[in-house]
Amino acid sequence: MPSLGTLGRRITGKRQPEPEVPEQARAAVWEAAGAELAAQQRGSAAPPPPRTPPPWVAEPETSGAVAARRIGRGLVWGVLGLAALTGIRSWVAPAPARVLPPAAPAETAPAYPEAAAQAVAARLARAYLTWDEDAPDVRAAQLAAVLPPGTDTAMGWDGDGRQAVAAVEPGAVTPASQGRARVRVDVLLAAAGAGAPARWVGLDVPVARTKGGVVVTGQPGLLGSPATGPKAPPAPAPVSDTELSRATESAVSTFFAALTTADTSTVTAPGAQIPPLPEGVVFQSLDAWSIDERETAGDRAGTALVTWEIGGATIQQTYRVTLTRVSSASAARWQVAALHGGDQT
């Protein structure tokens, strides 16, 4: 069996090195060759001396070695071809990894068109609760404007009686599935006759969003109105600056008295724009005044409780008043810079 070195040389195609011949063997070969040549020249019939066999033995190449050499050469050429196609540079310095673009954000469903739903529901509520047995077509025409084509515009009315709507207040919109929603509408029904009070009634109106806008999808339902509003959050309780409240009470009272006249510029700070109240409102009294305590200098805010006479009655109201310090060459005084209704800071 050939050695590993022999197989390696056969795969790579290298020549096998010739074995080293001893000096005596080479001399004997040359002497035999010289004697043979001399005999030929003399024409001697004597047979030439036998040749001395070389000291090495030729080793036949097996079929397995030939196949291994061919496979090895094929692998070498295959690697060289791959390097030519892909580029040796990509083996030494690979290309940077491909960065995928960020995924597009998921599309969110558009918000429900609450303003459009409230407007349609308010129109429906006014038309739905208004009727006159002498003019039924008026109600039908108003309802048709907010109903799908082909809808019965009577919507359950028997055609008798008379009723009018004094005010409509659309409220909360509660979305449902498939573009549908429910709109709460509060309706003030006008007095039915002399001595009869106006009354509030609630109405739930079913609507749906379409490509053409919002449309009423069915008959509404009457609901009662709450007897009270929701519970209010705790009101702030600022600490009062008693000394400054007493010092500015006269200026605040003078301001509210002047608020019912045509000119308020004399009781307001420079640059302040506070329009007067309309004719028919009469100032009665400043019932309470308190400035919030604050350590920093600058404008000061307080709460005023004022009584007005209007419509043959008196009514007490709450205001937030902002005072600013105005100085001149002769004196300094507090004047009103801003006025807001309510007790919110």
Side-chain angles (χ1 to χ4, degrees):
M1 177 181 295
S3 63
L4 293 176
T6 301
L7 289 176
R9 287 189 294 273
R10 290 175 180 176
I11 291 174
T12 59
K14 292 184 178 180
R15 296 175 58 87
Q16 183 172 349
E18 296 181 358
E20 186 177 353
V21 182
E23 186 67 26
Q24 295 179 356
R26 288 199 299 270
V29 171
W30 285 108
E31 289 178 0
E36 182 179 0
L37 179 61
Q40 291 177 356
Q41 291 176 352
R42 292 192 302 267
S44 174
R51 294 183 178 181
T52 303
W56 62 84
V57 178
E59 183 177 342
E61 189 172 21
T62 63
S63 59
V66 174
R69 185 175 68 252
R70 292 178 177 175
I71 292 174
R73 290 177 180 175
L75 291 175
V76 172
W77 284 109
V79 172
L80 293 176
L82 182 62
L85 291 175
T86 60
I88 298 177
R89 181 180 178 183
S90 65
W91 293 14
V92 179
R98 181 181 178 186
V99 179
L100 297 177
E107 294 185 358
T108 57
Y112 201 88
E114 292 190 358
Q118 289 174 327
V120 169
R123 291 178 60 188
L124 181 281
R126 181 178 292 277
Y128 179 77
L129 293 178
T130 300
W131 52 70
D132 186 346
E133 60 185 8
D134 294 333
D137 293 341
V138 174
R139 180 178 183 271
Q142 292 178 349
L143 289 174
V146 293
L147 293 174
T151 304
D152 180 15
T153 54
M155 297 195 77
W157 178 47
D158 64 0
D160 296 331
R162 291 178 179 85
Q163 182 169 269
V165 171
V168 173
E169 295 292 339
V173 178
T174 306
S177 60
Q178 299 180 351
R180 297 178 177 270
R182 184 177 64 253
V183 184
R184 167 71 183 224
V185 182
D186 290 314
V187 181
L188 179 62
L189 299 177
R199 58 202 185 279
W200 285 97
V201 64
L203 204 66
D204 265 355
V205 181
V207 298
R209 177 178 53 195
T210 66
K211 292 182 179 180
V214 178
V215 63
V216 177
T217 58
Q219 292 184 352
L222 288 173
L223 298 172
S225 295
T228 62
K231 186 177 180 180
V239 179
S240 176
D241 186 334
T242 306
E243 182 177 354
L244 186 57
S245 297
R246 286 198 298 263
T248 57
E249 183 175 1
S250 176
V252 173
S253 180
T254 301
F255 162 77
F256 278 108
L259 198 59
T260 59
T261 64
D263 185 12
T264 59
S265 59
T266 59
V267 292
T268 56
Q273 300 292 329
I274 304 176
L277 293 174
E279 185 179 354
V281 180
V282 179
F283 173 69
Q284 287 289 315
S285 61
L286 175 65
D287 303 325
W289 167 244
S290 174
I291 284 187
D292 303 342
E293 187 176 57
R294 195 179 65 180
E295 296 179 357
T296 58
D299 293 352
R300 303 296 294 270
T303 302
L305 195 62
V306 181
T307 296
W308 304 101
E309 180 182 338
I310 181 174
T314 58
I315 186 169
Q316 193 178 65
Q317 296 180 338
T318 304
Y319 293 89
R320 289 290 292 178
V321 182
T322 300
L323 299 181
T324 188
R325 186 79 167 172
V326 178
S327 300
S328 63
S330 58
R333 61 188 184 278
W334 290 94
Q335 289 187 318
V336 177
L339 178 69
H340 301 286
D343 59 357
Q344 299 298 319
T345 57

